[in-house]
Amino acid sequence: MSKAGNDRKGCSLTLTLTVCAAAIGGTFQYGYNIAIINAPTTSIQKFINETCLERWGTALTSSKVTLTWTLIVSAFSLGGLLGSLLAGPMAIHCGRRQTLLLNNCFLMASAVMALSSRPAKSFEIIVVARVLIGVNAGVSMNVQPMYFGESAPKALRGAVAFSCAVFTAMGILLGQVVGLTEVLGDEALWPYLLASNAIPGLLQLLTLPWFPESPRYLLIDRGDREACGRALGRLRGREASDAEMEEILEEQKATGEARAKSPWELLADGDLRRQLCVVMAASSSMMLCGNDSIYFYASYIFQEAGIGVEKIQYATIGTGACEFAAAIMSNLLIERVGRRKLLLGGYVLMSGWAVVFTLSLSLQGKVAGMPYLSMACIFAYILSFGMGPAGVTGILPTELFDQKARPAAYMLAGSMMWVNLFLVGMAFPFIVNSLGQFCFVPFCGICVVSAIYIRLTLPETKGKTLAEITAEFDKCNMKGLSSSAQNQLQLQETQHRTDLTSVHLEIEEI
């Protein structure tokens, strides 16, 4: 049987359940919380106006209500930025699994505040609640892919890490269903809708403690070889293979006794600059393409597309179903097609659909059936996003950086993601109102630039070890170096091979 076949056979029930227990309170929460905020748009805007009228005797103007609502929506992104900055230190000091468990403190505090906002007659409490749930999402969006990438066998690393996107899409879809008027989307129930995210968090608290910590964290960060072996045995459903233990020991040997890098140290590291630029650009593009803002402001977009008000809440479910279906399909394809092709293809397709969407909006009222073509374009745009950028982007820091640089890489990538989500979230309703039928032209431009950049800078990482991926980037770096610098790199490579030989001997002794 091939090595890849052995790795696939090693995908035990424990690994599958670990993925589910971590994701239900992790990236599932991100998707759920960007979806549920759309349903109570009108109800919360009414609550804001009533609160201001009761306090000051004057109702807010329409533009001020929109601005306040935009602040509530975008507070989630500010919290996410804070969470992404906390994720690195928490993952280093507490471990991957323990960080995900502690992260539920922010979630529970947010749920309590959401429930208390209406009795307290304070829309400011909603803002704080959204910041706290954003912190929860920011931590989980960084730590969960790290946990999955470090726990999965090499042949399944992409598929397991891509499950983050599957659970995000599942959260979006379930959030849209729960937000229906017939469920919790009624005007009287919006505080319970915003607090319903506590249920997945409780499920994680009850299940995740039963599963193992990341094997790489146990060996490389803690130096506990026995615990690493036990964790690998449970996750693979059999005794840890010598080849896999050897790979982890190679990474431990390469990092030596060095402590985990800080974000500033990673930014200053010239050897990793190309990898860092790729990761930060991909994380920025993922948010600047406007896909996640569609969930925040689905009502605005579908109104602009000419969809009837009574049909909008059902049309939004179609957006979540599209991303969920695309994520599952991509999860099945990622180890066959590869990361680079999925990411590149996703942005190319999104560019095309943005052009068609713009044309359909321009022809609205002139050609029959344009509202439905517009809606189909939105679904296709989301499908294309789910097929590539949604899942592949989160895998990149795990595959491009070693154990000591990985937390800092996730902190920087997460920061870029949340800052750009905040900017797009704040600007999106004003872009729709000011540009009208041309509202997706800026996002089309982002997708085109992203596709070109990825084509030029990102090598394929499917089925490769960290050393092989680093060698690919080194080849790119060598092209721009002087001959003396190239000779120095070759000497370092020779030393690295010598170190690997000593690791092999150590394994044989064990």
Side-chain angles (χ1 to χ4, degrees):
M1 185 180 289
S2 67
K3 185 178 178 182
N6 284 325
D7 280 345
R8 288 187 176 90
K9 186 178 179 182
C11 182
S12 70
L13 178 62
T14 300
L15 177 60
T16 304
L17 294 176
T18 300
V19 167
C20 293
I24 196 67
T27 52
F28 176 90
Q29 289 282 16
Y30 171 74
Y32 189 79
N33 285 289
I34 65 172
I36 60 173
I37 199 64
N38 177 67
T41 298
T42 305
S43 301
I44 295 180
Q45 287 180 346
K46 183 179 178 182
F47 172 69
I48 292 168
N49 236 337
E50 290 173 349
T51 302
C52 293
L53 187 61
E54 187 173 334
R55 285 182 188 174
W56 302 300
T58 307
L60 296 178
T61 62
S62 177
S63 61
K64 288 181 179 178
V65 170
T66 301
L67 182 61
T68 306
W69 171 243
T70 304
L71 178 61
I72 289 172
V73 171
S74 299
F76 179 69
S77 307
L78 292 176
L81 174 60
L82 178 58
S84 68
L85 296 175
L86 289 173
M90 288 179 71
I92 293 166
H93 296 295
C94 303
R96 287 34 166 169
R97 184 191 62 172
Q98 193 68 19
T99 296
L100 291 172
L101 290 170
L102 291 172
N103 191 33
N104 285 290
C105 295
F106 302 112
L107 169 66
M108 297 306 169
S110 171
V112 170
M113 298 194 82
L115 287 172
S116 63
S117 58
R118 189 161 59 185
K121 297 181 179 179
S122 171
F123 59 83
E124 294 87 351
I125 291 180
I126 305 176
V127 177
V128 178
R130 291 293 290 176
V131 169
L132 288 173
I133 195 60
V135 173
N136 172 270
V139 171
S140 64
M141 288 287 283
N142 282 8
V143 178
Q144 186 184 309
M146 204 186 308
Y147 182 37
F148 287 0
E150 293 173 3
S151 300
K154 184 173 68 174
L156 294 173
R157 188 176 57 204
V160 171
F162 204 103
S163 64
C164 296
V166 175
F167 278 91
T168 298
M170 186 190 299
I172 290 170
L173 180 58
L174 186 59
Q176 290 168 337
V177 172
V178 173
L180 289 174
T181 307
E182 297 85 348
V183 188
L184 291 179
D186 187 76
E187 184 177 346
L189 298 175
W190 64 260
Y192 300 98
L193 174 62
L194 296 185
S196 61
N197 50 30
I199 296 173
L202 285 172
L203 285 174
Q204 184 180 73
L205 288 171
L206 291 172
T207 56
L208 188 57
W210 299 97
F211 298 103
E213 178 57 89
S214 156
R216 288 178 182 271
Y217 173 78
L218 291 171
L219 179 56
I220 300 175
D221 290 81
R222 288 190 180 176
D224 192 338
R225 185 177 297 182
E226 289 185 10
C228 173
R230 288 195 301 270
L232 278 175
R234 290 187 62 193
L235 290 167
R236 303 295 176 264
R238 53 176 169 78
E239 188 177 350
S241 68
D242 290 343
E244 188 165 15
M245 185 64 80
E246 180 181 329
E247 184 189 338
I248 300 175
L249 283 169
E250 284 178 7
E251 188 174 338
Q252 184 191 40
K253 185 79 173 181
T255 56
E257 298 297 323
R259 60 177 177 79
K261 290 180 181 288
S262 70
W264 301 115
E265 289 170 337
L266 183 57
L267 285 168
D269 190 338
D271 293 336
L272 296 174
R273 190 160 296 148
R274 186 180 290 270
Q275 290 95 312
L276 188 60
C277 287
V278 169
V279 165
M280 292 177 72
S283 297
S284 299
S285 300
M286 182 180 173
M287 294 304 162
L288 290 175
C289 72
N291 182 84
D292 285 357
S293 295
I294 291 174
Y295 299 115
F296 284 150
Y297 301 110
S299 298
Y300 285 95
I301 297 168
F302 283 121
Q303 284 174 18
E304 186 67 31
I307 306 302
V309 176
E310 71 285 353
K311 297 178 181 177
I312 285 178
Q313 65 172 337
Y314 302 105
T316 57
I317 293 178
T319 62
C322 281
E323 184 161 342
F324 185 49
I328 292 175
M329 190 184 307
S330 235
N331 192 259
L332 299 173
L333 291 174
I334 189 167
E335 293 299 348
R336 294 178 175 85
V337 177
R339 287 66 154 149
R340 187 170 180 266
K341 287 181 181 178
L342 285 176
L343 197 56
L344 182 60
Y347 282 120
V348 169
L349 288 172
M350 289 166 72
S351 304
W353 288 117
V355 171
V356 178
F357 182 59
T358 302
L359 290 173
S360 67
L361 290 180
S362 301
L363 294 173
Q364 207 159 283
K366 301 174 184 176
V367 180
M370 285 299 105
Y372 297 100
L373 177 59
S374 299
M375 186 166 66
C377 287
I378 292 174
F379 291 161
Y381 192 85
I382 292 170
L383 271 169
S384 304
F385 178 80
M387 286 288 289
V392 176
T393 306
I395 299 171
L396 295 179
T398 296
E399 298 197 324
L400 302 187
F401 296 93
D402 64 25
Q403 193 79 4
K404 300 301 182 182
R406 197 171 292 135
Y410 268 107
M411 287 172 67
L412 292 170
S415 298
M416 294 303 297
M417 185 185 82
W418 289 103
V419 166
N420 286 295
L421 180 61
F422 173 76
L423 294 174
V424 175
M426 287 292 291
F428 201 91
F430 300 102
I431 290 174
V432 173
N433 290 334
S434 59
L435 295 183
Q437 69 266 32
F438 301 107
C439 60
F440 261 67
V441 170
F443 304 121
C444 178
I446 293 292
C447 292
V448 170
V449 171
S450 300
I452 294 171
Y453 182 79
I454 289 163
R455 172 72 178 79
L456 296 174
T457 61
L458 180 66
E460 181 53 68
T461 61
K462 176 174 73 82
K464 295 179 181 178
T465 64
L466 177 63
E468 291 168 338
I469 295 168
T470 302
E472 290 281 342
F473 278 99
D474 287 344
K475 287 178 184 176
C476 297
N477 292 332
M478 289 275 282
K479 293 176 182 177
L481 294 177
S482 64
S483 59
S484 61
Q486 290 183 20
N487 291 334
Q488 181 65 31
L489 278 176
Q490 288 170 354
L491 287 173
Q492 291 176 358
E493 177 64 20
T494 302
Q495 181 62 44
H496 177 65
R497 287 173 182 165
T498 304
D499 290 341
L500 292 187
T501 302
S502 66
V503 172
H504 294 165
L505 293 173
E506 184 179 347
I507 289 288
E508 289 174 2
E509 290 175 3
I510 296 171

